[in-house]
Amino acid sequence: MLRSHKNFRFKNFSAPRKINNKNFMIPVNEPIIAKNAIEYVTDCLKTGWVSSAGKYISLFEEKFAQFLGVKYATTTTSGTTALQLAFLSLGIGVGDEVILPTLTMIACPYSIIYTGAKPVVVDSENDTGNIDVDLIEAKITKRTKAIMVVHLYGHPVDMDKVIRVAKKHNLYVVEDAAEAHGATYKGQKVGSLGDVGCFSFYGNKIVTTGEGGMVVTNNKDIIDRGKQLKDLAHSPSRRFLHEEIGYNFRMTNMQAALGLAQLEKIDKFLETKKEMAYLYNKSLSGIKGLTLPVEKEYAKNVYWMYSIMVEKEFGLTRDELMLRLKEKGVDTRSYFIPVHKQPALTKRGLFVNEVYPVAEELSEKGLYLPSGLAITNKQIEEVCTKVKDILNEN
Ligand SMILES: *Cc1c(COP(=O)(O)O)cnc(C)c1O
């Protein structure tokens, strides 16, 4: 059984849509809300601990740190603010450069730009879509302060190589593990390998708080700095005295209560993801023109999203396949648009004439199939059958 546990299935996220008045769209993502969440969130409401103080904040932070095997964790309002807080806590700002993959979500370059620093992008490796670690060193300048890696769609980056380059050039490593809760690199959880790890708890992530994020580290100075900056930068010596500009990135107790309940279920959630990938792999392997996701020997992929590549031999483009699937009641999403192609950034004079062929190609042929925690074996089967039907109709 894919899902034997009797958790609530929440329908308000990318909700199933009625088509033809009888069928329902298989959503690209539908979360499962743990039973305990109702009790924990209700406890916040009943006791009045609805804001950013309260026991669930510290419980969630403690348990999350424990889960990852790190010393410290602090909650934030989103994955985006977690990244921003990470860079601020490392003292990164105007005049600095941060290296990141171009094939990633826009929150990554934004978080660098918010600090005043400059994003410098690197192409992808072909199979995982992750940053091509062999191309990082060529991008390092005197201004480089950090390398940000993103464990894309749940597959860990080859961290040893990143850490080696970072050590050699005295750079920080920031891991964006927003899509990879529980994924491991050589047995170690991602987010715990660099100087700072960042997580998102948005509704479609493996652990959710509705909206929310977390910064984790083994470094006491970094976490202390983060806690101060995320809470308006009160002076340690005198509350309401502010010697520098701070931020309000505080999570609420209610969000942490939801997060704690979800975190209690993470082993089951990861099992569900693994089985989902197994079933998709089994059914889709051997289809000419579809490239399925990989799992490198050093990694445990958590398949946040089950992503496939639509190659020329498939006979339809990625966009055509997405459209045909939609007509048949299957919702999908295309890959991210590379950072160096984003008008919001190129308008600022960034990435002029820069070309990253691997990321550009992946971005054009990649899509992900319904992959939410609430997906059933039957739905997976249905999706695969429809892919095959489309191929036969062609
Ligand atoms: C979701 C995500 C974020 C941003 O998280 P939010 O909680 O939505 O702000 C950052 N990076 C990656 C790779 C993500 O997938």
Side-chain angles (χ1 to χ4, degrees):
M1 271 301 290
L2 191 62
R3 281 187 310 110
S4 48
H5 49 119
K6 295 194 184 67
N7 293 303
F8 287 84
R9 291 176 65 183
F10 228 54
K11 300 262 182 190
N12 74 342
F13 190 86
S14 187
R17 259 202 305 133
K18 238 183 171 166
I19 52 164
N20 306 332
N21 278 329
K22 30 179 208 241
N23 299 315
F24 286 88
M25 194 72 116
I26 299 177
V28 75
N29 199 293
E30 191 181 353
I32 287 179
I33 301 299
K35 246 186 184 168
N36 280 350
I38 310 287
E39 185 194 319
Y40 296 172
V41 175
T42 307
D43 182 40
C44 300
L45 296 170
K46 282 186 171 162
T47 58
W49 290 96
V50 294
S51 208
S52 57
K55 69 176 182 189
Y56 291 105
I57 293 281
S58 44
L59 266 173
F60 183 41
E61 289 172 347
E62 256 166 54
K63 297 280 180 199
F64 197 74
Q66 221 173 60
F67 170 72
L68 291 176
V70 294
K71 285 194 190 145
Y72 312 107
T74 193
T75 43
T76 63
T77 48
S78 69
T80 309
T81 53
L83 291 168
Q84 188 184 349
L85 190 66
F87 292 124
L88 291 167
S89 303
L90 295 171
I92 288 167
V94 177
D96 297 334
E97 291 176 2
V98 176
I99 292 174
L100 77 161
T102 191
L103 189 63
T104 189
M105 204 237 188
I106 197 72
C108 300
Y110 278 177
S111 64
I112 297 164
I113 288 170
Y114 295 155
T115 70
K118 183 181 163 197
V120 173
V121 298
V122 172
D123 206 354
S124 302
E125 59 181 17
N126 189 49
D127 48 3
T128 63
N130 281 330
I131 189 166
D132 187 332
V133 293
D134 295 325
L135 303 178
I136 293 175
E137 201 162 15
K139 292 282 186 161
I140 296 173
T141 72
K142 277 200 218 79
R143 293 166 176 258
T144 311
K145 287 281 153 39
I147 303 166
M148 169 197 231
V149 296
V150 183
H151 306 291
L152 202 67
Y153 303 119
H155 192 294
V157 170
D158 192 353
M159 290 302 291
D160 281 352
K161 287 188 185 171
V162 176
I163 291 166
R164 204 177 310 135
V165 173
K167 280 222 171 93
K168 183 174 159 195
H169 296 271
N170 198 24
L171 307 174
Y172 293 115
V173 174
V174 174
E175 292 179 81
D176 181 350
E179 304 180 352
H181 314 63
T184 59
Y185 175 74
K186 298 186 177 173
Q188 233 180 309
K189 297 244 168 59
V190 302
S192 72
L193 298 140
D195 295 284
V196 190
C198 299
F199 289 84
S200 162
F201 304 120
Y202 181 62
N204 68 5
K205 302 295 160 84
I206 294 172
V207 173
T208 186
T209 60
E211 295 278 0
M214 189 89 82
V215 171
V216 306
T217 180
N218 286 311
N219 183 312
K220 177 100 171 42
D221 295 334
I222 295 173
I223 206 75
D224 287 347
R225 195 75 188 112
K227 284 180 176 178
Q228 190 195 13
L229 287 170
K230 82 166 192 185
D231 184 21
L232 304 175
H234 290 275
S235 162
S237 61
R238 165 85 164 85
R239 195 163 175 85
F240 301 122
L241 178 68
H242 304 268
E243 287 165 31
E244 60 185 325
I245 303 290
Y247 305 81
N248 178 354
F249 293 161
R250 301 185 307 253
M251 178 183 273
T252 69
N253 199 40
M254 293 179 291
Q255 291 170 311
L258 171 54
L260 181 66
Q262 296 300 100
L263 183 60
E264 288 170 354
K265 289 278 168 217
I266 192 163
D267 289 341
K268 226 157 212 171
F269 290 168
L270 294 174
E271 205 47 50
T272 301
K273 288 285 189 190
K274 202 165 131 187
E275 190 162 350
M276 172 196 75
Y278 171 79
L279 291 174
Y280 269 133
N281 281 338
K282 202 169 78 169
S283 186
L284 297 177
S285 67
I287 296 184
K288 217 174 80 196
L290 287 189
T291 303
L292 306 184
V294 297
E295 188 174 43
K296 294 285 191 83
E297 79 288 345
Y298 57 71
K300 198 182 118 204
N301 189 348
V302 289
Y303 301 98
W304 173 58
M305 292 295 164
Y306 186 86
S307 60
I308 59 173
M309 297 292 150
V310 184
E311 315 289 350
K312 276 202 187 72
E313 305 82 68
F314 189 77
L316 290 171
T317 66
R318 186 270 313 272
D319 291 345
E320 284 165 345
L321 177 60
M322 286 179 70
L323 194 71
R324 297 278 287 277
L325 280 169
K326 191 146 216 167
E327 285 165 6
K328 289 181 183 294
V330 177
D331 205 11
T332 59
R333 290 284 182 282
S334 58
Y335 256 41
F336 295 125
I337 296 168
V339 167
H340 70 281
K341 296 271 205 182
Q342 297 290 354
L345 306 178
T346 55
K347 264 196 264 178
R348 301 167 72 104
L350 289 163
F351 320 121
V352 180
N353 296 328
E354 292 180 27
V355 179
Y356 301 96
V358 180
E360 285 169 28
E361 187 181 333
L362 294 179
S363 165
E364 266 166 36
K365 62 185 193 182
L367 67 87
Y368 46 89
L369 297 171
S371 308
L373 288 166
I375 197 163
T376 63
N377 291 6
K378 197 163 156 284
Q379 285 176 316
I380 294 171
E381 224 171 84
E382 220 178 302
V383 172
C384 296
T385 304
K386 283 173 177 170
V387 171
K388 290 172 193 165
D389 287 350
I390 290 167
L391 198 60
N392 290 333
E393 288 159 18
N394 212 36

